Amino acid sequence: MEHVQRVLEYSKMKQQLIEHVASSLGRQKAMELVPSTSLDEVVKQQEETAEASNVLRLKGQVPLGGITDIRAHIKRAAIGGSLSATELIDIASTLYGGKRLKFFLEEIIDEGHIQVPLLEENIALIEPLSQLEKAIKQCIDDNGFVLDSASNALRTIRHQMRSYESNVKSKLEQLTRSSSTRKMLSDAIVTIRGDRYVIPVKQEYRGSFGGIVHDQSSSGATLFIEPGSIVTLNNQLTEAKSNERREVERILAELSVQVGEEAEQLLINVETLASFDFIFAKAFYAKAIKAIKPKLNDRGYLDLRQARHPLLPAEEVVPSDVAIGDNVRSLIITGPNTGGKTVTLKTIGLLTLMAQSGLHVPADEESELAVFEHIFADIGDEQSIEQSLSTFSSHMRNIVSILDQMNENSLVLFDELGAGTDPTEGAALAISILDYVYQRGALAAATTHYSELKGYAYNREGALNASVEFDVETLRPTYRLLVGVPGRSNAFAISRRLGLSESVIESAKQQINSDATQVEKMIAFLEESQKSAQVEWVKAETIRREAETVKKELELKLASFEKMREKMMEEAEAEANKAITNAREEAEVIIEELRDLQKEGAAIKEHKLIDAKKHLDAAVPKLVSKKQKQVKKRAEKAKRIPKVGDEVKVLSFNQKGSVIKKVTDNEFQVQLGIMKMTVELEDMQLLEKAPEPTKAITTIRGNDAHVKSELDLRGERYEDAMQRVEKYIDDALLAGYHQVSIIHGKGTGALRKGVKQYVANHPRIKSARDGGMNEGGLGNTVIELK
């Protein structure tokens, strides 16, 4: 397999893949990538890549930043080792990166726009370990510096250090500013030697300051002296620094113990994040090379459509269509040198390796590849100089090894089969080898120059000819693969184009027997037929695309016409309503006048006046819009009045929900996800069988039933209170709150500070502020959630 991967340039393809990883974890996974021979495993890997590709199409990116390889740190902590501040902050950063990725994917899953069952299964393995992350970040900043707030002892020690340091600097600066001592100094500065503060004194004034000499200049003219007046202060500062170092080591050791306690879960998190980095790298790579998920089989069938070699520039590569397997077990490719025969072989082999590695392949939709137990290749000049083997001997040794190992579940690729020896013997060997491979049931593709093999596919069952096209006019290959047509000799045509005498060419033709001439004519006819069919296909494809364009234009025009018609109907209805309104107003005046006449004694019956008004109301046109007709038609499908608990579909939103309350005979309150809304009966369709509620909806309903908009911590112990805060924030997020309050009181200020620190580091908290005058003031923290 290593030999095959080398000649098919599998490692170069992996280097392209590695460019898309986000961390060293993903890089290691990509470096270790090897093809699988299990169809079930390959199908799963391909589906993982497809799910990741769907996520990228939906979101455009995936949050994988901040993740590092912390496995060595975890293992050292697990055996009792103490980690450095930077190692601990790497662990916290990786925990945060895992939590962010988990939230990102869970949000996609909850939205339900795409199905990602394999990614959902993997994301469940990640445990946020928020307590450990918080403990580290409360003690260490992002630059790996242990904060003063990490412990009360460290805060006190650093306060002392700053005081001692200030006193030392102050006394030394007095000396540097004093007119009596300034002339004794080489420079009026305070510097450090051996972690102690000193001043630069001229050699001749050494005895004027006393104290300790810590260093001297290269010339010896300047001595760096710690004056006796500050030795005690420097000693105090040095002792404080030692105390600081011991306290920092104690804090780091304590955090390392916590890491060691979570070592098992941390390693699971890291391994899962490595898998996600690798899976999304495959998806990014597929996007970069415009690859698709191929169909897969285990019966040795290949159907590559517009396949492209991923290592060739996209603007230069010529796609190929290749279909072998089932009845066709051998593909014989002929054609000129540098015409693309070897590239075709490598494309078949490399795309098969990619598919068996769980990678999408650069080809068109509906392409299909097989999962082989073995892939063999004899490509290129494998001559061994050390063994003094000829080219033919080197190839033959490789072929012998292939024939010994292959079986019916193998793919065998031969480049220039039988080359390097006498043409007659070489052609005979090539035919015999291909027959042997066919008898063993393996799938084979071979390139050759031998004319004897051009007729091989016509005389052998299960064999197919193909050739790479050559343009005699330009004397260049087109790199197009013509399946079903053997390559023909272009020697005479090329010679004629280059100016060789016609008499010489005619003399050469007489040296060729009639059978060979007939074969060449047949091949020429097949090539012309192939080209003609290709031209006709291009014309048909052009007509099809034009028809699709016309169809789309007509659909747009029809939609525009329907919209215009609806608008005109609405305008007509408005004008009719206006006219009817005017008529009604005039009629009301007339009726009123008739009533007045009736009072004066005219014989007009009241019921006739009422009938006239009814007829006038009935004359108002009732124009029904298309949307109203659709709603009415939907309503007619309802079989019975829904009850509380029934599952229904709200037609105007195209969403499923459940009835939770009957408002009126014609209105019901429906739960749609986290929303409750009142829906009219005609806008609902009763579902025969209620679908199982999703996990996210169940959780939200449960929390919404008991979560209040404020949390009262007064009287709580600090540790218990912080645990309640963390749980409350999670519940409030699930309940869909946008703003909540945490009442901690004023007291000593410990609870208030703890709450402020926690909310400042929470990724789902948008902002936090103290309560206003009517909100409890400093005793209340108001939080806005994302």
Side-chain angles (χ1 to χ4, degrees), residues 9 28 105 114 226 256 292 299 308 327 358-359 366 378 386 464 466 470 481 542 606 643 680 713 751 768 772:
E9 300 177 293
Q28 183 178 346
L105 290 176
I114 55 174
E226 178 186 0
S256 299
I292 54 93
R299 67 180 193 279
R308 306 173 296 278
N327 296 328
L359 297 170
E366 302 302 317
D378 180 57
E386 293 180 1
L464 179 67
F470 186 85
L481 184 69
T542 302
E606 180 65 26
K643 299 179 297 185
E680 293 183 356
L713 300 176
L751 271 182

Side-chain angles (χ1 to χ4, degrees), residues 572-633:
E573 181 181 5
E575 290 180 6
N577 285 335
K578 184 177 180 181
I580 294 298
T581 301
N582 293 335
R584 181 184 286 114
E585 290 175 354
E586 291 178 7
E588 290 288 348
V589 172
I590 294 170
I591 290 171
E592 194 61 35
E593 291 176 354
L594 290 174
R595 282 203 176 103
D596 291 341
L597 291 173
Q598 184 184 40
K599 292 177 182 178
E600 294 174 1
I604 300 174
K605 303 293 185 180
E606 180 65 26
H607 70 273
K608 291 184 177 181
L609 295 174
I610 295 172
D611 288 342
K613 191 174 186 305
K614 285 182 179 180
H615 290 155
L616 182 62
D617 290 337
V620 178
K622 301 294 183 182
L623 300 181
V624 182
S625 69
K626 183 178 179 181
K627 186 174 180 181
Q628 289 172 327
K629 289 179 181 178
Q630 290 174 344
V631 172
K632 184 177 180 181
K633 189 175 180 181

Side-chain angles (χ1 to χ4, degrees), residues 754-769:
V755 170
K756 295 289 186 184
Q757 288 179 345
Y758 177 81
V759 301
N761 296 320
H762 199 290
R764 296 299 307 278
I765 293 178
K766 184 176 181 181
S767 64
R769 60 177 176 81

Side-chain angles (χ1 to χ4, degrees), residues 631-649:
V631 172
K632 184 177 180 181
K633 189 175 180 181
R634 290 171 185 164
E636 289 173 354
K637 294 182 179 179
K639 295 182 178 179
R640 64 178 176 83
I641 303 298
K643 299 179 297 185
V644 174
D646 282 346
E647 296 294 319
V648 295
K649 182 178 182 180

Side-chain angles (χ1 to χ4, degrees), residues 85 139-141 144-151 154 158 244 247-248 251-252:
C139 295
I140 307 170
D141 68 12
F145 176 75
V146 179
L147 300 169
D148 293 4
S149 58
S151 74
L154 183 61
R158 285 184 173 166
E244 179 204 26
E247 180 60 16
V248 166
I251 293 168
L252 296 180

Side-chain angles (χ1 to χ4, degrees), residues 175-188 202:
L175 291 175
T176 60
R177 290 195 297 266
S178 172
S179 57
S180 60
T181 58
R182 187 180 302 171
K183 63 180 180 180
M184 304 179 188
L185 304 178
S186 299
D187 199 352
K202 295 177 181 178

